[in-house]
Amino acid sequence: MSKPAELLNRIYAAGLPSVEDLEEVLSWQGRVELGELFVFADKVRKDFCGDGVILRGIIEFSNFCDRECFYCGLNKNNRRLERYRMDKDELSNAIEYLVSCNIKTVVLQSGDGKWLDTLWLKEVIENIKSRFDMAITLSVGERSADDYRVWRQAGADRYLLKIETSDEGLYSSMHPKMDFKQRLACLGVLQNLGYQVGSGNIVGLSGQTLKTIARDIIFFKRGNFDMIGIGPFIPHQDTEFAGQPKGDAQLSLKTIALTRIVTKNTHIPATTALGSLDKDYRLDGLKCGANVLMPNFTPQPYRKLYEIYPQKRCVSEPVGSCRSCMDGIAKDLGRFIDYSKADSFKLTGDRYV
Ligand code: SAH
């Protein structure tokens, strides 16, 4: 067996791989080694998740945010950004459209903050659940356990709350007035309430090293998350991190591949950020471990205002050009679009590890 193959097999077989082994793979640059990594990860994806490319339609219903994250264009100190909040009718129309495209998961995402009324979102959830047979994922940041409970009882199925980086010091350096332990506590509460929970990181954050990324992957494994979103950092001109270099596409792909090999059956999206670099790397992501796409169903004119980073993929495409685009991507890969709700493999016990 070649040396790279030996290392990959050891990582695959380990209950919890070592930081050093992961770091070594993350440092690979050669075509042959990277080829082995990506083929290995693609095989693990096929064995544990099959050939279906799962769809999650995302609606970014507000860009108001009370946080000051140094990398994010929605941070409250960005006064250049025009803020919006979709009303119930607008949201309902966007969801009807998404349903008409045969998509069975809606991700409702927004900035964080008290402006988001608990009961308003509860009613939105109840309304969707009473009208459609579909899964609801929330991604509205850190809230109280009571809020999470109310929304879960109203019918929300899943929750996305990325750790961004699992390094507490690094986390604190870019999240003023936020507490790493609080974020961990939120993830624990969400899991205990029975949400399918997604975490993830940003690759290429200032101060991040290969070791930190290796530890992120261990964090993902330990957390037994249902989904892991991995995307490159993209600088935004109106943030503290303006002028920082972009995250590296190869390193993001390596992180995706290793996360697949280590966590086996989690859902891993080829993220919008991965599609928003110098070219669209989402296809590459799907070839090295990813099994999910997240088409954007935020209606214009709001879509261009949800500017977490600039030049976001699909920002000017008309809503609904997604379906043919998604089918095209799956076909190019010799795979198919899975139009089911596609719950977590960990929940359904399907190919459970
Ligand atoms: N308020 C929600 C949603 C945040 S936006 C929450 O806190 O969970 C969704 C994701 O966008 C974030 O989790 C972060 O990983 C990503 N993001 C924000 N700014 C980014 C940037 N400049 N480059 C890459 N990803 C970014």
Side-chain angles (χ1 to χ4, degrees):
M1 207 187 288
S2 69
K3 231 182 134 234
E6 234 172 71
L7 183 52
L8 293 173
N9 273 302
R10 186 160 78 226
I11 291 170
Y12 176 78
L16 201 61
S18 72
V19 174
E20 292 70 29
D21 280 355
L22 295 175
E23 214 181 330
E24 185 173 340
V25 176
L26 288 170
S27 75
W28 287 353
Q29 299 285 350
R31 280 178 62 114
V32 177
E33 289 166 320
L34 290 182
E36 286 207 35
L37 169 63
F38 295 157
V39 168
F40 197 114
D42 196 46
K43 166 97 174 35
V44 177
R45 187 269 311 151
K46 195 175 169 72
D47 289 351
F48 287 89
C49 311
D51 275 340
V53 177
I54 289 161
L55 299 184
R56 313 297 197 205
I58 182 160
I59 301 175
E60 300 146 333
F61 65 90
S62 173
N63 66 356
F64 279 94
C65 194
D66 292 349
R67 307 273 186 207
E68 301 171 49
C69 310
F70 282 1
Y71 45 83
C72 184
L74 304 191
N75 78 82
K76 77 167 189 192
N77 301 319
N78 180 8
R79 311 224 187 271
R80 289 208 194 142
L81 186 66
E82 185 190 326
R83 305 284 170 166
Y84 72 89
R85 193 180 308 178
M86 286 168 65
D87 66 26
K88 278 189 180 153
D89 284 344
E90 290 171 317
L91 199 48
S92 177
N93 288 339
I95 288 164
E96 277 168 25
Y97 188 70
L98 186 148
V99 169
S100 78
C101 292
N102 208 14
I103 291 184
K104 301 210 179 48
T105 296
V106 61
V107 181
L108 299 174
Q109 191 175 80
S110 71
D112 278 36
K114 291 203 177 61
W115 57 268
L116 174 60
D117 184 62
T118 310
L119 294 181
W120 181 88
L121 187 55
K122 171 180 181 265
E123 283 164 19
V124 167
I125 295 164
E126 284 168 347
N127 182 269
I128 298 171
K129 282 289 180 177
S130 68
R131 292 169 67 205
F132 307 109
D133 177 27
M134 71 189 309
I136 300 178
T137 303
L138 302 179
S139 180
V140 300
E142 293 178 28
R143 304 286 295 208
S144 69
D146 282 344
D147 286 354
Y148 288 151
R149 185 176 306 108
V150 166
W151 295 332
R152 176 82 186 113
Q153 281 168 356
D157 304 274
R158 308 175 186 147
Y159 206 101
L160 289 185
L161 185 73
K162 289 173 67 175
I163 195 72
E164 318 297 1
T165 171
S166 65
D167 183 296
E168 186 165 1
L170 193 60
Y171 183 92
S172 308
S173 73
M174 56 188 72
H175 295 103
K177 300 176 204 134
M178 288 176 78
D179 179 3
F180 183 75
K181 296 205 170 61
Q182 181 57 32
R183 202 153 186 94
L184 292 183
C186 285
L187 288 169
V189 168
L190 289 164
Q191 286 183 324
N192 286 336
L193 286 168
Y195 281 94
Q196 298 169 49
V197 176
S199 186
N201 68 351
I202 302 179
V203 172
L205 288 170
S206 167
Q208 195 181 44
T209 61
L210 297 187
K211 195 183 278 308
T212 354
I213 297 177
R215 289 195 176 128
D216 289 348
I217 296 169
I218 298 213
F219 173 84
F220 299 153
K221 174 73 175 179
R222 281 217 168 101
N224 194 26
F225 298 107
D226 301 287
M227 171 158 152
I228 307 287
I230 294 160
F233 164 69
I234 302 175
H236 186 291
Q237 65 283 4
D238 300 313
T239 62
E240 299 280 336
F241 281 178
Q244 301 265 1
K246 276 184 191 171
D248 181 59
Q250 283 299 334
L251 184 56
S252 306
L253 294 173
K254 285 187 263 187
T255 308
I256 288 176
L258 274 175
T259 300
R260 169 60 68 209
I261 293 168
V262 171
T263 67
K264 316 264 188 311
N265 67 350
T266 40
H267 288 312
I268 302 181
T271 52
T272 309
L274 200 58
S276 307
L277 295 167
D278 53 306
K279 67 159 222 189
D280 186 352
Y281 289 94
R282 287 180 304 172
L283 212 68
D284 304 82
L286 289 167
K287 284 186 198 159
C288 72
N291 70 319
V292 180
L293 283 169
M294 299 181 72
N296 192 322
F297 281 83
T298 310
Q300 303 290 14
Y302 303 128
R303 193 187 291 200
K304 66 174 185 307
L305 297 176
Y306 198 81
E307 201 190 49
I308 47 186
Y309 46 80
Q311 265 109 51
K312 224 169 91 195
R313 169 134 299 266
C314 305
V315 95
S316 53
E317 271 82 347
V319 177
S321 45
C322 287
R323 178 145 189 193
S324 56
C325 176
M326 298 293 124
D327 282 331
I329 289 178
K331 217 170 176 183
D332 282 355
L333 293 165
R335 285 158 55 192
F336 63 93
I337 295 290
D338 174 351
Y339 283 100
S340 76
K341 271 191 223 171
D343 275 314
S344 168
F345 288 124
K346 303 186 192 224
L347 186 81
T348 56
D350 207 6
R351 303 183 187 87
Y352 183 83
V353 280

